[in-house]
Amino acid sequence: MRLEGVDYDINWKEFTKGKSIFIPCLDYRNVRNQLLRFARSYRLKVLTKVCIVEGIQGIRMWRL
C-alpha cells in the first residue's frame, strides 16, 4: 500500500482484533479514506483516529 509517497507492507491477515497500527501522515483525511478502503476490501471492521505519537501527526487504526 502506498500512502503519501511511502510504501507500507501491512499483512492484513495478521492484523487481528485488538491490534493497531500508526501511519505518520500530513493529509490525514486522504490517508484515512485510503485505509478505510483497504480495510473494506478485506472486510475488516476498523476504527481510525488522528493522533500525535512522539510529536508526529498520523492516523492510528484499530481492528475491531
Side-chain angles (χ1 to χ4, degrees), residues 3-63:
L3 301 169
E4 292 191 329
V6 179
D7 289 322
Y8 293 93
D9 185 21
I10 299 171
N11 188 339
W12 292 101
K13 292 181 182 181
E14 291 187 14
F15 189 51
T16 57
K17 291 182 180 182
K19 288 190 177 181
S20 72
I21 57 174
F22 177 75
I23 305 290
C25 63
L26 297 174
D27 183 6
Y28 62 87
R29 288 183 181 117
N30 182 35
V31 171
R32 175 185 282 159
N33 289 337
Q34 289 183 38
L35 286 172
L36 292 175
R37 189 171 42 246
F38 277 108
R40 257 186 254 120
S41 72
Y42 284 94
R43 295 186 175 133
L44 303 175
K45 291 183 181 180
V46 297
L47 172 71
T48 60
K49 183 176 181 180
V50 177
C51 58
I52 297 175
V53 175
E54 296 181 12
I56 300 171
Q57 175 183 298
I59 299 265
R60 168 103 27 213
M61 181 171 72
W62 291 268
R63 167 95 189 265

